[in-house]
Amino acid sequence: MEYLKAFLVGGLICVVGQLLIDKTKITAGRVLVIFVVVGCILGGIGIYGRLVDFAGAGALVPLPGFGYLLTKGVGEEIARSGVAGIISGGIKATATGITAAVLFGLAASVFFNPKAKL
């Protein structure tokens, strides 16, 4: 049941993103930014945490989950070390995801010979 919930929630998030790209004039990059900001906002007011409790990785893996982790990390670090946590909390909480993105991007560029779109 856990896998089904993760699949449905993650899939629904992806469907919303694809609909925004296909049915509006919003660019894919802006949709990504919107998703991260929405994750931050919903995480900050406590809604996204409940979704993560329900769907697990289905809510954490997509971009709103990244925004949620940023907000959560900042909140925890502020509680631990004060105002300096505003800067360090989000980076500590998302360092693994950022590192993975950089490394996978590097690997893809080495193996697949990327070309710039003109």
Side-chain angles (χ1 to χ4, degrees), residues 2-14 48 51-65:
E2 195 173 319
Y3 292 124
L4 181 63
K5 289 191 269 185
F7 175 77
L8 291 175
V9 170
L12 184 62
I13 291 170
C14 293
Y48 207 84
L51 185 62
V52 169
D53 291 340
F54 173 77
L60 281 176
V61 172
L63 286 166

Side-chain angles (χ1 to χ4, degrees), residues 14-28 31:
C14 293
V15 165
V16 170
Q18 193 64 50
L19 287 174
L20 286 172
I21 292 169
D22 290 346
K23 302 294 183 187
T24 68
K25 294 186 184 232
I26 301 173
T27 63
V31 170

Side-chain angles (χ1 to χ4, degrees), residues 25-91:
K25 294 186 184 232
I26 301 173
T27 63
R30 289 185 178 166
V31 170
L32 299 176
V33 171
I34 290 168
F35 272 26
V36 172
V37 170
V38 166
C40 285
I41 293 168
L42 293 177
I45 60 177
I47 294 173
Y48 207 84
R50 285 186 252 154
L51 185 62
V52 169
D53 291 340
F54 173 77
L60 281 176
V61 172
L63 286 166
F66 183 77
Y68 163 73
L69 287 175
L70 283 170
T71 305
K72 182 179 175 188
V74 168
E76 289 173 356
E77 195 64 22
I78 287 174
R80 189 176 307 121
S81 63
V83 178
I86 294 172
I87 296 170
S88 62
I91 294 181

